Amino acid sequence: MSSVLELRDVHRTHGRGPTAVHALRGVTLRVRPGELVAIMGPSGSGKSTLLNLAGGLDGPSQGEVLVEGRSLDDLSLRELAAVRRRTVGYVFQDFNLLPSLTAAENVALPLELDGVSVRRARRAALGALSEVGVTDLAGRFPDEMSGGQQQRVAIARALVGERRLVLADEPTGALDSGTGEAVLRVLRERVDAGAAGLLVTHEARHAGWADRVIFLRDGVVVDSSGPLDSVDDLLEHRS
Amino acid sequence: MSIRHGLLALLERGPMHGYQLRAAFEASVGGTWALNIGQVYTTLSRLERDDFVRPRPEGEGGQRPYEITESGRAELSRWFSTPLERTDRPRDELAIKLALAMTTPGVDVTAVVQSQRTAGVRALQEYTRLKTRPSDQDDLSWRLVLDSLIFQCEAEIRWLDHCETTILRHRPGPVAPAGAPVEERERNRR
């Protein structure tokens, strides 16, 4: 099965000369539809850099990032912006919902920015809210929702429309453990329904929801728990 | 936990014979602790010796059920009301292994830590998968047992993270040659 996200020997260096920081040093990674991959590692291990590269918010110093088989490096700025709008969705620790918009408007916004009519965008937003189990919150503003409810809305926004790659940066960091678990359950369900997910977390318990856990140290993958890419490659070549 | 108290707790529900006790035990701990039937009967005979259970007449299948006695109930109640002492638990092999890894030449302690951490996360993935199985959603006692395993695993991984940070912070500099002044050797040791 083809990957939604692929990193090929990706390096990212910030700065130059003796003060250069090697945030990532040769990371190779694939995320397929229906797969949730967690990235674990201490502060400064390169987790956030990896997520930024995966979402096209930053470019590699060396190596290649492919989203749905297309190298982000080959895209014009306009095409890259389109990939970020149409293919990639983000879930942040602090939800990042716009306070002046209702839940449905927040979820519809990325579609509207992409030129979809207000009516169609709203219909898609209600569908996405229903998929994460919060249809009844459609008319509420963020400050009328609990943290867990806001994060569900954020997941709906990340995966509304055709988007198939969700990048989650510590999505349960601001939630208590029970609510955090409910949010991960929703994320897991959306991935099981066919999305591809990359989850950055420092909590082992949350990484337990992933199919594969990658351990980063000093910009290098030091270990992984779950099927290895090399094994997947073998299977892929057999089929 | 002792099998003794587990069996007493099950008999508090009503009389049971050995095979029923084994099945009930495994159902209540969700298969995380498999008992063989020999262990069950050995434990029952010790409980009978201590007057905590007594046999009842054989049933039609030739199986002899046991019932809990008053002193068995008192023992069970004492067990439930007394917190477990940490010293009663088995020695922590992992802590001992890491302590030895620190002082054994040629052992990469951070690799030992990482392989244990990966094993812990793999176990967490497995427990989480079990927890989300639709068939297990309504079995509250099984979910609590799973949660306990998840919490223990998480605690171990947090402790491993702590070990790694501490080891990296205190990693000694290059070892001074044997002939170097003691001061230098001591300095490098720090």
Side-chain angles (χ1 to χ4, degrees):
Chain A
M1 194 183 285
S2 62
S3 311
V4 178
L5 172 69
E6 185 172 355
L7 275 71
R8 290 183 185 162
D9 192 27
V10 165
H11 294 247
R12 179 68 176 105
T13 306
H14 300 291
R16 292 177 168 202
T19 57
V21 176
H22 301 286
L24 287 182
R25 298 182 292 160
V27 172
T28 293
L29 171 71
R30 284 177 175 188
V31 191
R32 294 173 174 75
E35 190 181 31
L36 181 62
V37 175
I39 309 287
M40 289 193 77
S43 310
S45 58
K47 304 189 297 281
S48 299
T49 302
L50 196 156
L51 211 61
N52 288 340
L53 289 168
L57 297 173
D58 188 12
S61 311
Q62 191 187 318
E64 227 179 351
V65 178
L66 296 95
V67 173
E68 299 207 300
R70 295 175 76 192
S71 171
L72 298 187
D73 217 23
D74 296 341
L75 304 181
S76 67
L77 283 177
R78 174 182 281 202
E79 288 171 325
L80 186 60
V83 166
R84 286 204 297 256
R85 273 198 315 273
R86 289 178 197 157
T87 311
V88 187
Y90 294 87
V91 180
F92 302 94
Q93 179 172 337
D94 47 4
F95 325 131
N96 280 15
L97 298 178
L98 293 175
S100 58
L101 301 182
T102 64
E105 287 164 350
N106 262 289
V107 176
L109 187 63
L111 295 178
E112 288 178 38
L113 290 176
D114 203 32
V116 174
S117 73
V118 173
R119 213 169 132 189
R120 277 184 55 201
R122 182 170 172 81
R123 202 164 52 222
L126 291 176
L129 285 172
S130 142
E131 280 165 358
V132 299
V134 290
T135 314
D136 51 331
L137 301 179
R140 288 210 205 157
F141 291 94
D143 66 359
E144 297 168 338
M145 292 184 264
S146 70
Q149 290 170 334
Q150 288 189 60
Q151 199 60 304
R152 280 169 185 253
V153 172
I155 292 174
R157 182 184 57 182
L159 286 168
V160 71
E162 299 299 308
R163 288 187 286 176
R164 305 207 303 139
L165 176 60
V166 58
L167 304 174
D169 194 358
E170 302 278 6
T172 55
L175 306 173
D176 64 67
S177 69
T179 312
E181 188 175 309
V183 163
L184 283 166
R185 205 176 273 271
V186 168
L187 184 61
R188 179 75 252 183
E189 283 167 8
R190 298 317 306 143
V191 168
D192 286 340
L198 192 61
L199 163 72
V200 162
T201 181
H202 66 277
E203 300 249 17
R205 162 200 298 269
H206 297 156
W209 287 82
D211 300 294
R212 199 145 48 99
V213 183
I214 307 283
F215 297 92
L216 267 188
R217 288 284 179 287
D218 300 326
V220 178
V221 175
V222 291
D223 208 352
S224 91
S225 163
L228 297 169
D229 279 341
S230 53
V231 175
D232 294 344
D233 283 345
L234 279 178
L235 292 174
E236 203 162 280
H237 288 136
R238 274 170 62 89
S239 57
Chain B
M1 176 191 152
S2 68
I3 301 172
R4 276 163 74 81
H5 293 111
L7 296 190
L8 281 179
L10 294 172
L11 288 173
E12 181 69 345
R13 298 179 190 172
M16 277 187 250
H17 59 68
Y19 282 94
Q20 288 172 322
L21 279 168
R22 185 175 73 164
F25 186 90
E26 289 180 1
S28 62
V29 296
T32 54
W33 186 351
L35 284 185
N36 68 48
I37 196 67
Q39 282 175 297
V40 175
Y41 279 111
T42 311
T43 310
L44 279 173
S45 67
R46 286 185 189 146
L47 286 169
E48 187 183 350
R49 178 199 65 196
D50 297 340
D51 194 29
F52 291 154
V53 301
R54 65 175 152 257
R56 291 174 50 135
E58 280 184 13
E60 283 179 9
Q63 298 278 11
R64 185 181 292 282
Y66 284 81
E67 68 183 355
I68 190 166
T69 61
E70 273 317 301
S71 51
R73 278 202 183 91
E75 173 61 17
L76 183 63
S77 158
R78 188 197 62 75
W79 182 62
F80 275 126
S81 60
T82 312
L84 298 179
E85 292 288 333
R86 292 200 63 87
T87 49
D88 289 346
R89 303 186 201 172
R91 289 183 187 87
D92 187 340
E93 186 181 343
L94 178 58
I96 297 164
K97 186 175 174 181
L98 277 195
L100 289 171
M102 290 290 294
T103 51
T104 307
V107 175
D108 180 352
V109 189
T110 54
V112 175
V113 169
Q114 181 57 47
S115 74
Q116 191 67 41
R117 179 166 31 220
T118 304
V121 168
R122 192 165 286 145
L124 274 176
Q125 287 174 281
E126 191 61 23
Y127 299 147
T128 309
R129 194 179 62 75
L130 290 175
K131 212 169 136 172
T132 51
R133 271 200 320 202
S135 56
D136 292 331
Q137 294 293 304
D138 299 328
D139 188 345
L140 193 57
S141 61
W142 168 225
R143 276 177 57 190
L144 291 178
V145 171
L146 271 180
D147 277 337
S148 149
L149 295 171
I150 288 172
F151 274 91
Q152 285 170 36
C153 227
E154 191 182 27
E156 184 179 289
I157 292 166
R158 288 178 71 173
W159 175 71
L160 287 166
D161 290 345
H162 168 79
C163 288
E164 186 174 65
T165 313
T166 309
I167 291 164
L168 292 178
R169 195 179 296 146
H170 291 87
R171 182 167 272 177
V175 177
V182 172
E183 250 185 50
E184 188 182 335
R185 272 188 276 156
E186 286 302 315
R187 196 166 53 237
N188 284 342
R189 210 187 290 269
R190 271 174 224 141

